[in-house]
Amino acid sequence: MIVEDKTFAQHALEKVRVLQNKLHQAAKKDQNRTFGILYDKVCSLEVLWVSWIRVQKNKGAPGVDGRTILAIKEYGAIKFLQEIREELASKKYAPKPIKRVYIKKSNGKLRPLGIPTVKDRIVQGAVKLVIEPIFEANFLEGSYGFRPKRNCQDAIKAVRKWVTYGYDTVIDADIASYFDTIDHDILMSLVKRRISDKWIIRLIKGWLRHAIFKQDKIALSEKGTAQGSVISPLLANIYLHSLDKYWKQKHDEWDTQMVRYCDDFVVLIRNKDPNPYMESLEYMLSKLKLKLSEEKTSIVKAEEGFNFLGVRLILNNSRRSKDRKFCYGFPTSKSMKNLRSKIRQEIGRDYKPSLSHKIDFLNPILQGWTNYYNWLNSAEQFRKIDKYVTRKLNLWNRTKRQAKKKKYNWLSTQDLYKQGLYKVGGHLCYSW
């Protein structure tokens, strides 16, 4: 029996790292190679363990079986993983139905999420650990979403770079209901270009044609991938890699650049008519049985400004040289509005806690938002948030103390900073 301790955890992480490196190097060496013996690696206890660690880190609600991460810990993680390994090795594993829930989007519409069971998330994570390095060998430079060692900031930096270099016409693109409209047959044909292991293929097919549990009814999914499942982001990138590849082969990179964060992407054009590029984009997406959202897709000049990944980007005269232009970035009005909403909800109308208690709960919200934008040109927006927090905390504190407006001693931002409030405007790091 393996003891669940740090030694085994370190051993598992190192073994998986070595495995991933070998698979990536082999895939990089031969871009057309298909890998036929991978299932045994998915069944490895070390791979399942690393997947389990990631599932724990991401937390998440239980699936249709109601089994939580905490319940599995109490049961015994190693025992649970060994049971999964035996199911996989004996080819008896079958995914459970996905629990369908809806979350409200900022525009008032509902976004469907699929919540697999913890067991299914672990197996999906194990498959992802094994096949991701293979597909990473093919993915192109302009793709940033849900990839190892890449993030939103990298994608934003790339857009700023190309716009500053003169790619000042922008196709701000949005695919209509992307995750819900992915064609299963096309996706599987793309997966099979690199993976020929029939048991891996069978697992992925089972997750794609998943059963959806909704309001005591079960229905099979005919298309799309479940947002909320561990494997979906990788499958989504595999699907749109065809678009990346087409764009690179079809269009001269001197004239156009594509920067994509999963299904959120922009096409940047330099000194050319954008309409042929829009037609080319629509043509390739139609081959993938996808469509652009008419209401969210537009052609704009960078001087007018456009939004990408929560950042408002605009080409303007450089503050350092009047003869040059620079692409500036700062939080979008939508992001500002969402943060204000979170601040209001956190402060609320519960007047029993102390002011310091309210500050302690506000700080993680402010810090997380600040960390996303502090490397941009966000000084003005940061000052506005500091003032907004100061005002809201004072209004709450005045009501708590039942003080009249004229008699209440208004706390300055400096007073609140001394009580531990996170100073949004004090965490700017200029990179331009």
Side-chain angles (χ1 to χ4, degrees):
M1 177 68 68
I2 298 175
V3 179
E4 188 177 328
D5 60 10
K6 291 183 180 180
T7 304
F8 175 68
Q10 292 171 355
H11 163 74
L13 287 167
E14 179 61 22
K15 186 173 180 178
V16 171
R17 187 191 65 79
V18 171
L19 170 64
Q20 289 184 312
N21 187 54
K22 286 181 178 179
L23 289 170
H24 181 74
Q25 293 301 323
K28 198 80 174 175
K29 187 176 181 180
D30 184 354
Q31 295 273 321
N32 297 314
R33 175 181 170 182
T34 58
F35 290 76
I37 305 176
L38 296 173
Y39 190 73
D40 61 314
K41 297 167 180 62
V42 173
C43 298
S44 162
L45 190 60
E46 288 82 2
V47 171
L48 291 169
W49 171 265
V50 174
S51 178
W52 159 244
I53 294 298
R54 293 186 176 185
V55 168
Q56 282 188 81
K57 186 177 179 181
N58 292 331
K59 299 179 182 179
V64 294
D65 63 355
R67 204 167 189 181
T68 64
I69 291 172
L70 180 59
I72 292 168
K73 285 182 178 180
E74 293 174 352
Y75 178 76
I78 289 294
K79 183 181 177 182
F80 184 65
L81 295 178
Q82 287 174 330
E83 290 172 359
I84 295 176
R85 182 176 65 172
E86 289 172 8
E87 270 189 55
L88 289 169
S90 62
K91 311 294 194 304
K92 293 180 180 179
Y93 166 79
K96 296 283 187 183
I98 284 179
K99 183 165 70 174
R100 174 58 57 88
V101 297
Y102 294 90
I103 59 171
K104 194 172 183 178
K105 296 164 67 174
S106 57
N107 60 7
K109 295 182 180 179
L110 296 176
R111 183 195 300 277
L113 286 182
I115 304 177
T117 63
V118 176
K119 178 192 283 188
D120 289 338
R121 297 208 291 267
I122 292 170
V123 180
Q124 286 182 15
V127 171
K128 183 183 177 185
L129 285 168
V130 173
I131 71 172
E132 186 175 55
I134 297 169
F135 288 101
E136 274 292 321
N138 290 86
F139 290 161
L140 301 182
E141 182 65 25
S143 169
Y144 292 89
F146 308 112
R147 293 183 58 190
K149 300 179 181 179
R150 289 181 164 228
N151 56 35
C152 292
Q153 289 188 355
D154 295 326
I156 295 164
K157 286 176 183 177
V159 173
R160 293 179 83 196
K161 178 184 73 174
W162 294 122
V163 171
T164 300
Y165 286 177
Y167 295 78
D168 57 358
T169 303
V170 183
I171 299 177
D172 186 2
D174 184 272
I175 300 174
S177 304
Y178 174 58
F179 280 88
D180 297 329
T181 55
I182 289 174
D183 184 272
H184 291 174
D185 292 334
I186 295 175
L187 176 56
M188 290 312 303
S189 69
L190 295 172
V191 170
K192 288 176 183 177
R193 289 183 181 181
R194 284 305 235 165
I195 309 297
S196 58
D197 188 311
K198 68 177 183 179
W199 296 106
I200 298 289
I201 297 298
R202 186 173 294 185
L203 284 175
I204 295 174
K205 280 184 177 179
W207 293 323
L208 285 176
R209 193 168 169 74
H210 57 268
I212 301 171
F213 184 83
K214 177 185 173 185
Q215 295 179 346
D216 299 328
K217 294 181 180 180
I218 292 179
L220 287 177
S221 171
E222 298 294 335
K223 59 182 180 179
T225 66
Q227 292 189 64
S229 72
V230 176
I231 198 84
S232 281
L234 174 60
L235 296 178
N237 271 331
I238 292 170
Y239 202 78
L240 282 183
H241 171 66
S242 299
L243 174 62
D244 300 337
K245 192 175 179 181
Y246 164 83
W247 204 262
K248 185 175 181 180
Q249 293 174 347
K250 180 74 175 177
H251 302 293
D252 189 337
E253 65 181 3
W254 178 254
D255 298 327
T256 178
Q257 296 285 341
M258 179 182 287
V259 178
R260 183 174 64 81
Y261 192 91
C262 199
D263 61 323
D264 195 350
F265 64 96
V266 292
V267 176
L268 308 171
I269 304 160
R270 178 174 180 158
N271 302 326
K272 295 285 183 179
D273 179 8
N275 291 302
Y277 293 102
M278 177 66 90
E279 292 172 3
S280 179
L281 181 60
E282 290 175 335
Y283 165 77
M284 185 57 199
L285 288 175
S286 69
K287 300 281 281 184
L288 295 171
K289 298 186 179 181
L290 301 171
K291 289 195 293 187
L292 290 171
S293 169
E294 292 184 7
E295 61 181 42
K296 295 183 179 179
T297 301
S298 60
I299 299 174
V300 298
K301 296 296 289 183
E303 287 91 346
E304 300 169 7
F306 61 99
N307 297 343
F308 184 60
L309 301 178
V311 175
R312 182 70 176 172
L313 296 160
I314 187 166
L315 185 65
N316 212 332
N317 293 326
S318 173
R319 296 171 187 170
R320 295 182 176 181
S321 173
K322 294 181 180 179
D323 300 326
R324 298 180 62 187
K325 287 185 177 291
F326 183 79
C327 183
Y328 293 91
F330 46 87
T332 62
S333 57
K334 179 180 176 181
S335 177
M336 296 279 286
K337 182 180 178 181
N338 290 342
L339 179 61
R340 291 190 187 103
S341 177
K342 289 180 180 179
I343 291 168
R344 286 196 303 272
Q345 289 175 12
E346 189 58 53
I347 293 176
R349 295 185 177 182
D350 179 8
Y351 302 104
K352 292 180 181 179
S354 64
L355 179 61
S356 61
H357 181 85
K358 284 291 179 182
I359 288 173
D360 288 342
F361 278 87
L362 268 178
N363 281 345
I365 296 171
L366 299 173
Q367 187 171 1
W369 187 85
T370 303
N371 288 344
Y372 189 81
Y373 293 106
N374 65 355
W375 59 282
L376 292 162
N377 316 101
S378 310
E380 181 181 347
Q381 288 74 20
F382 279 19
R383 284 194 294 270
K384 287 180 179 178
I385 293 300
D386 279 334
K387 288 180 180 178
Y388 183 79
V389 174
T390 299
R391 179 173 174 273
K392 283 297 179 181
L393 283 175
N394 270 290
L395 292 175
W396 176 87
N397 195 43
R398 189 178 72 189
T399 303
K400 174 183 172 64
R401 294 175 176 273
Q402 298 180 340
K404 292 183 178 181
K405 187 175 181 179
K406 292 183 178 180
K407 293 185 177 181
Y408 175 71
N409 186 21
W410 193 268
L411 298 171
S412 69
T413 52
Q414 295 299 326
D415 293 332
L416 291 170
Y417 295 153
K418 289 177 183 178
Q419 295 197 42
L421 179 66
Y422 185 84
K423 186 179 180 181
V424 173
H427 293 84
L428 282 165
C429 46
Y430 297 100
S431 60
W432 50 277

